[in-house]
Amino acid sequence: MSLETILVWAVIGLIAGWLASAVVGGGYGLIGDIVVGVVGAFLGGFIFRALGAGQPFGGLAGTIFVAFIGAVVLLLLLRAIHSASARRV
């Protein structure tokens, strides 16, 4: 994997993570948003494949959209887990 590929993944992750944090609320800072966005890209790809759907549009914008959807799902899951564990205590 080249440095360029890693940088593209980081930029896509940052954009998707930041957008998801803005929509869902909260945020994990610069590094956290990148991680949420990259993990969201994998989760979004899995969700879209499971539904039998491809990217709604091509190119970088489509990749960011799929990562954004995955990041939103990830943040909602993290919020649900956090609130469930807070209720137990």
Side-chain angles (χ1 to χ4, degrees):
M1 192 179 320
S2 69
L3 179 62
E4 182 180 334
T5 304
I6 293 170
L7 289 175
V8 169
W9 273 89
V11 169
I12 290 171
L14 176 61
I15 293 169
W18 178 78
L19 286 172
S21 294
V23 169
V24 174
Y28 294 100
L30 179 69
I31 302 298
D33 284 346
I34 291 173
V35 171
V36 165
V38 170
V39 173
F42 285 106
L43 184 59
F46 176 76
I47 291 169
F48 275 73
R49 273 192 304 276
L51 295 174
Q55 286 182 354
F57 34 92
L60 188 60
T63 303
I64 292 171
F65 179 77
V66 170
F68 164 73
I69 296 299
V72 167
V73 170
L74 177 64
L75 287 176
L76 290 174
L77 286 172
L78 289 174
R79 181 177 284 180
I81 291 169
H82 179 71
S83 67
S85 66
R87 278 188 243 140
R88 270 194 215 162
V89 175

